[in-house]
Amino acid sequence: MTDRLHRRSLLAGMAALPFLGAAASAQGAGRAVQHGQGSTSIPARPGRVAVFDVAALDILAALEVTEPVVGIANSNAWPAPIATFQDQRFTRLGTLFEPDYERVNAVRPELIVTGGRSSAKYQELAKLAPAIDLFRDTAAPLDTTFRNTDLLAGIFGREAQAEALKQKVTDAAAALRAETARRGRGLIVLTTGTRMSAYGAGSRFGVIHNDFGVPPAVEGLNTAIHGQSVNNEFILQTNPDWLFVVDRDAAIERGADAARKALDNPLVRQTRAWKDGQVVYLEPASWYLTNGGIRTAQMMVEEIAAAYASKG
C-alpha cells in the first residue's frame, strides 16, 4: 500500500513538471503519430528514447536506430535480435511490468515506447513524456509486425530500411507457405516445467498457421495469452504431423531441456510427429520474448523453413 501511494505521489509531482517532450518539440516541428492506444504528438526526431518493449528493441536494432535509446526495461534474457541492448550504457528503467518512474524521469526521455507486456503501463508512462504503444493484433501477426516497423521507421526516418526488411520476410513467408500447405497438420505447444499449453491460429504463436501456412491440427483453441491448458493425452488424440514446441523455462533462463524431458513419454511417442522426427523445438527466447519484432519474424520463417527442408 505504501509503495502504491509513493508511486501515485511521484506521478502527481511529475505531472506538475513541464512536459519533457516540450524542449525537443521546440527543436523541430512536432507531429501526431497514430499508435496502438491513440494519437500522440511527438518531436520530429526524438533524441532520447526510453523503450519498454522487446519487440520494439528488435525493430529499432534492425532499423539501426540505437543511439537515441537511452533507457530500456530489464530483460531476463537477450535473444540475438536485441543483444546489442545488453550493453550497460542503456540505463535500466525497471521491468516491463513495473517501470521505475524515478529512473524514467531521470533519463529525460523525449519519447517512450511501450507494447506487449508493458502496454498496461502506457497511461502512467505517458504522463512523463510523449509515449506511443505498439499495435497488437494476433489475428494478423506479420501485418502487425510490419505496421509497427513502419511506425518506428517513420519516426526515425528509416522508411527505406523498413521496406527492405518487410520484403525479405514477405518473400520468405510466401516460399514457406508453398511447402507447409502440403506437408501435414501442426500443433504448437508451450511448456513450463511439466505443464503444457496449446496455441492455434490467432494466438501469440499463431504466425505458424496464419502467415506460414501450416494447417492446424485442431481448430478452436483458446487464443488467450496463456493458450489452452493441455496434456499428453491431448497431444496423442490430436496426433499432429508436426509438433512445434516453445520451452518457456529455457526462454527465461530457468533451466534447459525441460520441454524435451516433458514430451519424451509413451503417449507423445505414439504421434506421427514423433515417429517421423517432426517435433521442432523452436528457439525459445526469440519466440517467447521478442515475438513481434521484424528480425525475429525473419528468424522465425527461416527456422520453420529449415525444419521442413530437413525432412525433404
Side-chain angles (χ1 to χ4, degrees):
M1 185 63 152
T2 301
D3 289 342
R4 286 200 299 270
L5 289 173
H6 173 70
R7 186 173 66 186
R8 289 175 185 169
S9 176
L10 173 65
L11 290 170
M14 291 177 181
L17 295 174
F19 199 51
L20 294 179
S25 296
Q27 298 170 6
R31 57 201 171 98
V33 172
Q34 298 293 325
H35 57 88
Q37 293 201 43
S39 177
T40 299
S41 179
I42 68 170
R45 284 287 184 272
R48 300 180 63 79
V49 183
V51 183
F52 284 88
D53 182 62
V54 287
L57 291 177
D58 174 314
I59 295 169
L60 290 171
L63 295 172
E64 299 182 343
V65 179
T66 57
E67 289 306 313
V69 179
V70 293
I72 62 174
N74 291 324
S75 177
N76 291 318
W78 298 94
I82 62 169
T84 187
F85 292 104
Q86 188 173 7
D87 194 295
Q88 291 301 310
R89 75 177 185 273
F90 301 103
T91 302
R92 302 308 192 258
L93 304 175
T95 71
L96 297 172
F97 300 100
E98 289 296 334
D100 185 325
Y101 297 100
E102 292 186 15
R103 286 194 173 192
V104 174
N105 194 52
V107 299
R108 299 176 290 106
E110 296 167 7
L111 175 67
I112 298 173
V113 182
T114 64
R117 294 168 175 86
S118 64
S119 286
K121 299 300 181 181
Y122 167 79
Q123 295 295 340
E124 289 187 348
L125 286 166
K127 297 174 183 177
L128 307 183
I132 61 171
D133 188 56
L134 296 194
F135 296 103
R136 290 173 290 169
D137 183 1
T138 56
L142 277 190
D143 283 348
T144 302
T145 296
F146 292 168
R147 193 177 182 188
N148 287 324
T149 301
D150 286 338
L151 170 64
L152 293 171
I155 291 172
F156 295 101
R158 295 290 199 275
E159 291 87 350
Q161 293 91 326
E163 288 303 316
L165 291 164
K166 292 188 299 176
Q167 192 61 55
K168 186 176 180 180
V169 175
T170 297
D171 292 346
L176 177 57
R177 285 195 297 274
E179 287 295 313
T180 59
R182 60 184 180 83
R183 300 279 292 275
R185 303 172 307 131
L187 178 67
I188 310 162
V189 297
L190 177 142
T191 66
T192 303
T194 58
R195 293 177 293 153
M196 288 183 286
S197 298
Y199 294 81
S203 73
R204 66 192 295 188
F205 305 120
V207 66
I208 288 176
H209 300 305
N210 293 75
D211 293 296
F212 299 165
V214 177
V218 60
E219 301 284 354
L221 289 173
N222 192 328
T223 58
I225 189 69
H226 297 297
Q228 182 169 318
S229 180
V230 298
N231 53 26
N232 292 312
E233 287 82 359
F234 175 88
I235 296 176
L236 175 57
Q237 182 180 6
T238 304
N239 196 19
D241 299 288
W242 294 85
L243 183 60
F244 302 98
V245 184
V246 180
D247 186 336
R248 180 180 180 274
D249 291 344
I252 60 174
E253 299 182 340
R254 288 186 180 176
D257 294 328
R260 294 177 186 273
K261 294 173 183 175
L263 292 169
D264 188 0
N265 63 74
L267 294 175
V268 176
R269 288 191 214 115
Q270 296 178 55
T271 63
R272 285 190 292 267
W274 188 279
K275 291 177 180 178
D276 293 342
Q278 295 180 167
V279 179
V280 183
Y281 296 93
L282 301 169
E283 199 289 305
S286 294
W287 281 82
Y288 186 72
L289 295 172
T290 56
N291 193 342
I294 190 70
R295 275 186 177 173
T296 295
Q298 185 67 38
M299 291 173 62
M300 285 175 166
V301 69
E302 290 174 354
E303 187 172 20
I304 301 299
Y308 277 75
S310 72
K311 302 306 295 185

